[in-house]
Amino acid sequence: MTLLSRAECRLRAHPLALDAGLAAGVLLCMLAGSFVDPHGAHGVSWSVRSPDPLSLLLMTLSAVALVFRRSAPMTVLALTGAASVAESVTGDPRAPVAMSAVIALFTVAASTDRHTTVRAGLLTMTVLTGAAMLAGPLPWYAQENLGILAWTGIGATAGDAVRSRRAVVQAIRDRAERAERTREEEARRRVAEERLRIARDLHDVVAHHIALVNVQAGVAAHVMDKRPDQAKEALAHVREASRSALNELRATVGLLRQSGDPEAPTEPAPGLDRLDDLAGTFRSAGLQVEVARTDHGTKLPAAVDLAAYRVIQEALTNVQKHAGSEAKAEVSVVRVGPNIEVTVLDDGRSDDGPPAAGGGHGLLGMRERVTALRGTLTTGPRYGGGFRVHAILPVKTRTATSGENA
């Protein structure tokens, strides 16, 4: 920081000292101006003469009033204006007391609104100029009288220009602060959305694979003594399900790594191309799953593909958990116009209740996924028993569409 910048900061920190210095400077200027003889034999000349005691008193009082121009601008304008009127009427030769009124008018214009500036400026200009022209010792057309008119107008105009510039600078600062707050809010919103997405992925992965592990472990425990071969097969399914769970958890948690961290996940997110594998894991756990698809050849955006896969995964997991071991599930994926429709039905042969009875976050997670893509999700019990999950997802999301148009 330069010496000038440090001095400016100190003066801004002590405005009263700055105003006191300004008042002293104005007083010196007025005292110096009182020695000027504008009507000398050879034009304007310096004459060694002492100002009148009343003029000296008025100059001092008006200069002292300027010390308080920031705290009470209208009062200071009234005091300096009164002193200027008194000097215009009584001073002969006249001392430049009106200089203090110009400074006070500048302060009023810089610290108030334009309407107040116009009123105060016109009133000050009219009173000072009228008093000098009508009641002063000089002719009404004298140069000093016209000078008062001009300087009061300049003071009001300059103060209004300073106020306008300050308003523009403050508006720019406010817009910058609002933009910064908006960026921070947008960043927080994105973090919250990403956190919810990761939470949904973790729930889907854990709920699906742990449900399969639980079923296969129960089968192994039940047939361990009588049918060891079937028990070994069930344990193999347990091992495969746990390995799949670990792989998906590693890929999901890997999203939390920083950009420079090593071993970032490279496996793509699951989609409908792995639907047969998904149905196979449930079939190996004893659930009867039938899959029907009429969407072959449809290229889905990654977000839609993942959401459709997770909806089917969560719906089948709920069937496995709540509909009983003898239940049968039907999965259909159909392309209907601009949408892809995913339906999962079960016959609910047991009395364990619908999937919603579990009280978990599965249905909520499905709904959040679908809603985030501007789709719709309907769930509820079927007439005659069972449960139905129906999701409608747009084939082209807003992001995908903008990417194609780019």
Side-chain angles (χ1 to χ4, degrees):
M1 183 180 293
T2 63
L3 181 62
L4 182 61
S5 299
R6 288 197 296 268
E8 185 179 358
C9 292
R10 290 177 182 176
L11 289 176
R12 288 181 178 179
H14 302 86
L16 189 61
L18 177 61
D19 291 338
L22 175 65
V26 171
L27 179 59
L28 289 177
C29 291
M30 289 190 294
L31 288 174
S34 64
F35 290 96
V36 176
D37 185 6
H39 304 288
H42 303 286
V44 179
S45 63
W46 290 89
S47 59
V48 180
R49 63 182 179 86
S50 300
D52 295 336
L54 179 60
S55 298
L56 182 61
L57 176 63
L58 292 175
M59 285 187 289
T60 304
L61 291 178
S62 60
V64 171
L66 291 179
V67 178
F68 309 98
R69 67 189 185 94
R70 296 179 190 264
S71 57
M74 296 299 294
T75 302
V76 171
L77 177 60
L79 292 176
T80 55
S84 300
V85 169
E87 175 63 20
S88 298
V89 174
T90 61
D92 187 18
R94 185 182 301 164
V97 181
M99 182 184 299
S100 60
V102 172
I103 301 297
L105 181 58
F106 170 86
T107 304
V108 170
S111 58
T112 59
D113 57 279
R114 180 163 296 174
H115 183 65
T116 303
T117 299
V118 172
R119 290 190 302 173
L122 289 177
L123 179 63
T124 303
M125 188 184 305
T126 302
V127 172
L128 295 186
T129 306
M133 288 183 174
L134 299 178
L138 299 176
W140 67 270
Y141 54 84
Q143 183 178 357
E144 290 85 347
N145 297 337
L146 298 179
I148 293 176
L149 176 67
W151 280 108
T152 50
I154 291 174
T157 304
D160 184 71
V162 170
R163 180 195 56 78
S164 299
R165 181 181 180 279
R166 289 174 182 171
V168 171
V169 172
Q170 186 61 38
I172 294 175
R173 290 176 179 174
D174 292 341
R175 284 197 297 269
E177 292 177 358
R178 285 196 299 269
E180 185 66 24
R181 287 195 299 268
T182 302
R183 284 194 295 268
E184 293 176 356
E185 293 172 358
E186 178 67 15
R188 287 194 294 267
R189 185 186 64 81
R190 290 178 180 271
V191 169
E193 290 180 352
E194 184 66 13
R195 187 177 298 146
L196 286 175
R197 189 186 67 79
I198 294 174
R200 288 195 296 265
D201 285 340
L202 289 174
H203 172 270
D204 293 342
V205 171
V206 172
H208 165 59
H209 291 290
I210 295 303
L212 295 181
V213 168
N214 180 57
V215 171
Q216 295 292 351
V219 172
H222 182 69
V223 300
M224 180 67 71
D225 296 332
K226 298 181 180 179
R227 286 177 288 180
D229 294 338
Q230 187 175 353
K232 290 181 179 180
E233 182 181 355
L235 291 175
H237 288 306
V238 169
R239 182 179 180 183
E240 182 64 27
S242 61
R243 183 186 296 112
S244 299
L246 288 175
N247 290 336
E248 292 199 35
L249 283 175
R250 186 180 297 111
T252 302
V253 175
L255 295 174
L256 301 177
R257 294 180 181 270
Q258 299 294 330
S259 58
D261 290 347
E263 299 180 1
T266 57
E267 182 182 353
L272 292 179
D273 56 338
R274 294 172 53 180
L275 180 56
D276 292 336
D277 296 336
L278 177 65
T281 59
F282 283 100
R283 293 191 187 104
S284 64
L287 179 65
Q288 301 180 50
V289 181
E290 294 183 1
V291 178
R293 299 184 62 177
T294 61
D295 66 319
H296 298 290
T298 300
K299 184 176 178 58
L300 298 177
V304 176
D305 202 17
L306 176 61
Y309 179 87
R310 292 302 189 194
V311 167
I312 297 174
Q313 183 185 54
E314 179 61 27
L316 291 178
T317 301
N318 286 334
V319 174
Q320 180 73 47
K321 291 166 58 177
H322 301 286
S325 58
E326 300 298 327
K328 178 180 178 181
E330 299 177 0
V331 178
S332 66
V333 181
V334 181
R335 171 71 183 268
V336 180
N339 301 318
I340 192 84
E341 296 190 10
V342 176
T343 307
V344 179
L345 307 174
D346 70 86
D347 53 13
R349 293 179 178 177
S350 73
D351 296 330
D352 292 339
H361 300 281
L363 294 180
L364 178 60
M366 284 192 289
R367 192 173 303 279
E368 289 176 349
R369 284 184 182 277
V370 174
T371 304
L373 296 173
R374 299 183 178 275
T376 58
L377 178 75
T378 56
T379 60
R382 300 172 61 193
Y383 179 77
F387 204 79
R388 178 178 181 269
V389 175
H390 182 68
I392 301 177
L393 296 167
V395 173
K396 292 184 179 181
T397 61
R398 178 177 299 178
T399 302
T401 304
S402 60
E404 292 175 0
N405 295 333

